[in-house]
Amino acid sequence: VISPYSGINAEYGEMTTLRPFVCSDLFTFNNVNLDKLTETYNLGFYLQYLAKWPDYFTIATTPSGRAMGYIMGKAEGKGENWHGHVTAVSVAPECRRIGLARVLMHRLEYVSESIYNGYFVDLFVRVSNKVAIGMYTKFGYSVYRRVLGYYSGEEDAFDMRKALPRDVEKKSIIPLTHPVLPEDVE
């Protein structure tokens, strides 16, 4: 079991457990996932991530076991492009603004750095999701590039990145000057 991290609002922090996500959690996280800005995937997609990158899949729960939020990701790339990727981070509406997303992101960054020795962490976010963009910026992420039509060809995404200590020169976060297409994303 992963111990709780500091940084969660004191009202919730002592009552929050971070632990590895398990298969049965797929039946208990609807309160977190049913949000118009949260991508919901098919069961096989979650199971693939759980089997291939279990270190990147963490859930936060209340003492009664109710899901508060989760994060899932993976390690990918080659050479100096080797990095951690945030596939999904979501927090239940009633658990927002207590610092839980920051703690979950910190967990993924820690895994990317200490287990996978990545150069950076990246994520994709809808350009219209100003709240999330602001949150990620506060966490130290910056816009690396714009990906045209990333979301089903209907909406662009920002590829946001945060350099990890291995990227001493911070080359991974130097922004591109032009947008790219989804098929150009490595």
Side-chain angles (χ1 to χ4, degrees):
V1 173
I2 304 162
S3 12
Y5 290 88
S6 61
I8 299 177
N9 180 305
E11 178 183 352
Y12 290 90
E14 294 176 13
M15 302 183 307
T16 302
T17 298
L18 295 180
R19 62 171 176 75
F21 198 97
V22 295
C23 292
S24 59
D25 291 325
L26 292 168
F27 303 111
T28 66
F29 76 156
N30 280 346
N31 65 309
V32 176
N33 237 28
L34 298 177
D35 176 295
K36 67 179 183 173
L37 294 174
T38 298
E39 296 292 320
T40 301
Y41 306 101
N42 65 53
L43 191 60
F45 187 81
Y46 292 106
L47 293 173
Q48 175 190 4
Y49 270 71
L50 191 55
K52 195 164 183 180
W53 300 285
D55 298 318
Y56 275 115
F57 216 149
T58 302
I59 189 167
T61 61
T62 65
S64 67
R66 182 169 171 81
M68 298 172 69
Y70 72 93
I71 192 162
M72 62 187 276
K74 62 184 177 179
E76 62 183 2
K78 292 182 187 283
E80 290 186 352
N81 200 31
W82 178 248
H83 67 282
H85 174 73
V86 179
T87 302
V89 59
S90 191
V91 175
E94 67 273 15
C95 299
R96 292 180 183 159
R97 303 208 176 273
I98 62 169
L100 187 54
R102 179 172 20 91
V103 170
L104 291 168
M105 291 291 291
H106 178 68
R107 169 73 183 146
L108 189 135
E109 292 163 8
Y110 175 80
V111 168
S112 297
E113 178 184 346
S114 65
I115 296 174
Y116 291 94
N117 197 25
Y119 284 89
F120 61 94
V121 172
D122 80 340
L123 58 89
F124 295 94
V125 61
R126 293 175 185 274
V127 296
S128 64
N129 193 345
K130 304 296 184 207
V131 172
I133 294 166
M135 177 185 74
Y136 295 132
T137 301
K138 286 180 188 172
F139 296 166
Y141 288 77
S142 58
V143 174
Y144 172 70
R145 61 186 168 184
R146 185 179 191 121
V147 184
L148 302 173
Y150 181 80
Y151 290 100
S152 303
E154 297 174 12
E155 185 173 359
D156 296 352
F158 285 138
D159 175 355
M160 297 185 75
R161 295 183 174 189
K162 180 178 183 177
L164 295 175
R166 185 174 183 193
D167 183 7
V168 177
E169 296 176 22
K170 310 279 188 234
K171 290 193 270 185
S172 65
I173 61 171
I174 298 170
L176 293 185
T177 57
H178 59 281
V180 298
L181 297 172
E183 56 266 22
D184 298 326
V185 174
E186 328 66 58

